Amino acid sequence: MLYFILRRILMLVPVVIGLTVIMFAIARILPGDPVALAAGPNATPAEIEALSHEFGLDQPIWTQYFHYVGGLLHGDLGTSLLTRRPVAADIAAYLPATLELVCAAMLIAVAIGIPLGLATAVWRNRWPDYLSQVVAIGAISMPRFFLGLLLQLCFAMWLMWLPLGGRLPIIVIPPPTVTGFLTIDTLLAGDLHAFTMALRHLAMPAIAMSLSPLATIMRMMRASTIEVMGQDYVMTARALGLPRGKIILKYVARNAVSATLTVIGLYFGWLLGGTVLVETVFDWPGLGLYATKAIVSQDMMPVIGVALVIGLLFVLANLVIDLLYGVINPKVRYS
Amino acid sequence: MTGPLLSIRDLHLTMTSFDGAAHVLNGIDLTVQRGEIWGLVGESGCGKSLTGLSISRLVPTPPATYRKGEIRFEGRDILKLPLREMQDLRGKRIGMIFQDPTTNLNPAYRVGEQLIDVALAAASHDPSVLGCPPGAGRRERRRAARRLAGEMLERVGIPDAGARLDNYPHEFSGGMRQRVLIAMALIGRPDLLIADEPTTALDVSVQAQILKLLKGTVADHDIGVILITHNLGVVAETCSHVAVMYAGNIVESGPVSNVIESPAHPYTRALMAAIPTKASKRGTLKGLGGTVPNLITPPPGCRFAPRCPLAIPACTAALPGAVDLGADHRAACIRLEALEHV
Ligand SMILES: Nc1ncnc2c1ncn2[C@@H]1O[C@H](COP(=O)(O)OP(=O)(O)OP(=O)(O)O)[C@@H](O)[C@H]1O
Ligand SMILES: [Mg+2]
């Protein structure tokens, strides 16, 4: 088990090397001068030179690369030209927002997708099943940012039920940071008012992000439920008189969920890397927004840092899923 | 003595598929008393499993339709029972065991848990199964169910039964898994046990143990058993009675000794001649050309006629009725006199 985890983490090494090499190569190929951009329109050539020297950007690319990798070993992700702060600190500040958004989206997707998939499989080929299949295909094919815009139009502009964007209104004092998840930190601080505010801000972006994983999880769950219901052990359970509800909720559901877990893990990683547009639409101060700003100003260190962190989280998410899979499915536990 | 435990009368079942409606059961008659072990034999596809599943009403309708006939369990017609009452028979009065012990246990739960679930379901119908006082709470019932599960595992010959309750199915060998499934089928104290090829997936020595176990169970609890099998050797060793099926009909039935010593129907004779020896391959019928008929457009009259060496034109005129040969031995053939001289 420990060996299993270690091996998975070791697999990250080539990923990190590949990613950093590619990003450095891109930084070199891209036209334009990020230092000049960062120094501002009124900077003199001497000032630009000084800034370039300060960030080591006047050194040969190889030196820069090895310097960067050396820093990585100490958890140093370099310094942002734009914010002039260590990238690691920036990421630590922006990451919780993104994680909170993605977790909320996945929570919605799993909490609705799993039961819905189970239900549509049990009552398959009746109208609720067909309806949900059609809606699911629509949800999968709709771009998330577009859905976000629609939600904003409907719930923020017309109905005015929910705020347009951001994480908290300016007038609400943010709770002391514990987890970085505002919904959790406000609860920990016992501030119910701030909690509802945080939840209301989270609702729309999370729903916008959740729809396509929800639809995929639902379809996957439906397919695996149908497959499991055809298994011999379900026939045996029926033949021996177990109540239908127990067969479905206990005997079928567990096996079907374990087949769906992989999709959940993949989607988690995929959402992490795909928050940019939704964060932009909802002005959600997360990694996506941070990375976009960095890309626009050709500030490479944050971009590489964000890519690395997302890659790491992706691998971690799949590791957790694999471990969970072992919990649900005893057969794979020791192998 | 009251009526029979199970009596199937003139059961007709059609299966609808893309190719049309197949008449897979074409007038089955079968009576099982307590203490009897009926062997149900016949070539693959002749309808043995569907007959067994019909008794627990587990054949999905559609695609299946019961066009005619009845299945009476202690006098009640199973095909007409409301689902609730059917549910009260499954696992409690009628137990089932299937062929493949690797796929018939749920891989995600400990075997004890699965046994307990069946026991609790049975107890909801008949509280005495658990031996708890009527007002027993949930936890007490569960504890009793677990104790019963341990006893059942022990009774089917699983060593260290109490500890094995906490094992997952994949931690058992094939033979042990089949024992677990037998324990599961028996835990609700059924009166009729249907075993669909319970030993086909097991190797020969294990097969003999399992059959012995089944036989012992019948003797101990005075239940009726239907044992579906391909193997006439198994029938000869284990069963008290046998019914030979061909293409949806029971062509011959009766006490094992009578049928095996003096088979009457040409198909039974062919089957007997085909008992696999080292020289012949399993499943080929010696001296019989042709294959099992298409059940969508079955041959008229006797379905065996096209392959029968003794067929005459009259055989295709009508489905032959069962002829009583004495001592409960019956054969559905109009050429029995001719056969006696062969
Ligand atoms: N769900 C189904 N849909 C359509 N036809 C079916 C279905 N199940 C069984 N049949 C057909 O019914 C006939 C009888 O099937 P059954 O399973 O009872 O045979 P069997 O005697 O048990 O055979 P085997 O020895 O191979 O288990 C076969 O011809 C089969 O093709
Ligand atoms: Mg069969």
Side-chain angles (χ1 to χ4, degrees):
Chain A
M1 169 103 154
L2 197 67
Y3 172 72
F4 174 73
I5 297 177
L6 277 178
R7 208 178 48 190
R8 292 294 290 269
I9 290 174
L10 272 182
M11 268 167 47
L12 270 177
V13 173
V15 175
V16 169
I17 294 175
L19 209 63
T20 46
V21 167
I22 291 172
M23 295 307 275
F24 266 80
I26 290 175
R28 195 58 188 266
I29 293 164
L30 279 182
D33 186 353
V35 183
L37 268 176
N42 301 325
T44 63
E47 281 168 358
I48 293 176
E49 187 116 338
L51 192 61
S52 184
H53 183 73
E54 185 191 335
F55 282 83
L57 292 175
D58 53 348
Q59 293 178 12
I61 191 88
W62 295 115
T63 322
Q64 285 183 40
Y65 181 75
F66 286 115
H67 186 76
Y68 181 78
V69 173
L72 263 191
L73 295 178
H74 306 106
D76 178 6
L77 294 173
T79 308
S80 162
L81 272 174
L82 197 67
T83 62
R84 307 277 165 98
R85 287 174 6 119
V87 171
D90 278 348
I91 288 181
Y94 285 106
L95 179 63
T98 293
L99 270 183
E100 183 175 34
L101 181 56
V102 171
C103 287
M106 284 311 286
L107 201 69
I108 297 174
V110 169
I112 299 179
I114 295 273
L116 213 56
L118 192 70
T120 52
V122 172
W123 292 290
R124 69 175 164 282
N125 299 336
R126 308 222 201 123
W127 70 264
D129 180 28
Y130 292 127
L131 182 70
S132 62
Q133 293 302 309
V134 172
V135 172
I137 292 176
I140 292 175
S141 45
M142 168 137 39
R144 265 170 283 159
F145 78 91
F146 182 66
L147 181 71
L149 288 175
L150 281 186
L151 287 175
Q152 278 184 330
L153 200 65
C154 186
F155 293 104
M157 316 274 252
W158 289 343
L159 297 171
M160 299 210 276
W161 286 351
L162 293 169
L164 203 51
R167 283 184 94 186
L168 268 186
I170 312 166
I171 47 163
V172 172
I173 301 159
T177 304
V178 183
T179 60
F181 284 27
L182 285 184
T183 41
I184 296 180
D185 287 350
T186 48
L187 275 187
L188 288 179
D191 187 348
L192 267 185
H193 173 69
F195 171 73
T196 28
M197 280 304 179
L199 206 57
R200 284 161 51 89
H201 280 76
L202 182 59
M204 272 202 296
I207 290 172
M209 294 262 287
S210 74
L211 226 58
S212 108
L214 193 162
T216 311
I217 289 171
M218 184 194 98
R219 287 170 59 89
M220 187 72 200
M221 185 65 188
R222 178 181 182 273
S224 51
T225 302
I226 289 175
E227 198 201 310
V228 172
M229 288 210 298
Q231 295 289 322
D232 287 346
Y233 53 79
V234 175
M235 177 64 105
T236 296
R238 288 178 56 204
L240 295 182
L242 292 199
R244 185 178 151 87
K246 192 166 199 168
I247 293 179
I248 289 168
L249 294 179
K250 184 169 175 181
Y251 282 57
V252 173
R254 184 155 181 174
N255 289 285
V257 164
S258 88
T260 312
L261 271 182
T262 323
V263 182
I264 296 177
L266 283 178
Y267 245 110
F268 192 85
W270 194 68
L271 283 191
L272 271 176
T275 54
V276 175
L277 286 174
V278 171
E279 287 185 2
T280 311
V281 169
F282 288 98
D283 194 24
W284 188 262
L287 275 191
L289 219 52
Y290 175 61
T292 324
K293 281 183 198 146
I295 288 172
V296 169
S297 48
Q298 296 179 16
D299 188 3
M300 284 320 277
M301 289 302 163
V303 180
I304 304 176
V306 168
L308 282 180
V309 167
I310 287 176
L312 179 74
L313 286 172
F314 188 91
V315 172
L316 279 182
N318 282 291
L319 181 66
V320 169
I321 289 292
D322 282 346
L323 294 178
L324 263 183
Y325 191 68
V327 171
I328 292 190
N329 191 339
K331 217 161 164 177
V332 300
R333 195 172 296 167
Y334 306 104
S335 52
Chain B
M1 180 87 197
T2 49
L5 182 63
L6 176 79
S7 119
I8 302 179
R9 288 288 155 261
D10 197 26
L11 187 67
H12 288 257
L13 175 68
T14 41
M15 277 281 180
T16 319
S17 68
F18 286 119
D19 304 327
H23 307 269
V24 292
L25 297 184
N26 189 33
I28 300 286
D29 281 295
L30 187 70
T31 304
V32 180
Q33 309 274 4
R34 285 176 187 275
E36 290 178 348
I37 306 183
W38 274 83
L40 198 55
V41 290
E43 276 167 283
S44 195
C46 68
K48 303 183 297 292
S49 296
L50 287 179
T51 305
L53 289 174
S54 294
I55 298 169
S56 286
R57 222 166 78 189
L58 287 169
V59 184
T61 49
T65 347
Y66 290 96
R67 287 189 302 124
K68 226 174 124 186
E70 53 185 36
I71 303 174
R72 292 199 174 273
F73 181 76
E74 291 186 330
R76 288 194 293 168
D77 189 352
I78 278 178
L79 295 178
K80 296 211 175 68
L81 282 185
L83 193 64
R84 265 216 66 80
E85 287 176 43
M86 190 63 232
Q87 193 71 14
D88 283 343
L89 295 182
R90 291 182 186 151
K92 295 125 204 173
R93 310 296 313 281
I94 304 173
M96 292 195 86
I97 305 166
F98 297 99
Q99 176 171 344
D100 190 348
T102 53
T103 57
N104 277 293
L105 284 166
N106 193 328
Y109 289 97
R110 300 169 201 277
V111 300
E113 182 73 12
Q114 300 184 49
L115 282 161
I116 289 171
D117 277 341
V118 177
L120 289 177
S124 70
H125 167 69
D126 174 11
S128 72
V129 168
L130 297 181
C132 283
R138 234 179 89 86
R139 296 188 53 161
E140 196 180 336
R141 292 216 320 273
R142 246 194 105 77
R143 213 172 315 122
R146 192 182 157 87
R147 195 165 48 234
L148 179 63
E151 281 167 24
M152 287 308 297
L153 280 195
E154 200 168 334
R155 202 182 304 164
V156 297
I158 290 183
D160 197 15
R164 298 292 265 165
L165 284 178
D166 289 326
N167 284 149
Y168 286 95
H170 70 269
E171 295 170 282
F172 290 82
S173 68
M176 286 297 158
R177 271 179 234 173
Q178 195 60 294
R179 283 173 196 266
V180 172
L181 280 160
I182 292 174
M184 229 160 114
L186 293 177
I187 202 167
R189 287 203 224 138
D191 303 278
L192 176 67
L193 184 67
I194 299 162
D196 192 345
E197 307 196 35
T199 59
T200 311
L202 305 173
D203 60 45
V204 183
S205 60
V206 182
Q207 190 169 345
Q209 294 167 9
I210 297 286
L211 291 172
K212 209 174 127 204
L213 172 65
L214 280 180
K215 229 171 144 172
T217 308
V218 177
D220 293 348
H221 303 281
D222 195 35
I223 66 176
V225 174
I226 295 178
L227 178 65
I228 297 172
T229 173
H230 281 279
N231 189 334
L232 274 175
V234 166
V235 171
E237 250 167 62
T238 319
C239 301
S240 61
H241 294 73
V242 60
V244 181
M245 281 187 79
Y246 183 79
N249 290 109
I250 290 185
V251 293
E252 182 163 1
S253 66
V256 162
S257 50
N258 301 37
V259 175
I260 287 194
E261 273 158 33
S262 50
H265 196 282
Y267 179 65
T268 316
R269 295 186 169 200
L271 261 192
M272 302 270 299
I275 286 183
T277 57
K278 282 198 181 94
S280 71
K281 253 199 303 188
R282 179 172 168 270
T284 55
L285 292 187
K286 199 158 79 188
L288 261 191
T291 51
V292 187
N294 176 348
L295 296 178
I296 294 177
T297 50
C302 172
R303 289 182 169 186
F304 185 58
R307 295 171 81 186
C308 183
L310 298 166
I312 54 170
C315 290
T316 58
L319 190 68
V323 178
D324 202 333
L325 302 170
D328 261 352
H329 186 180
R330 273 176 258 271
C333 181
I334 59 170
R335 296 281 286 153
L336 292 178
E337 298 86 359
L339 264 166
E340 274 160 27
H341 308 296
V342 177

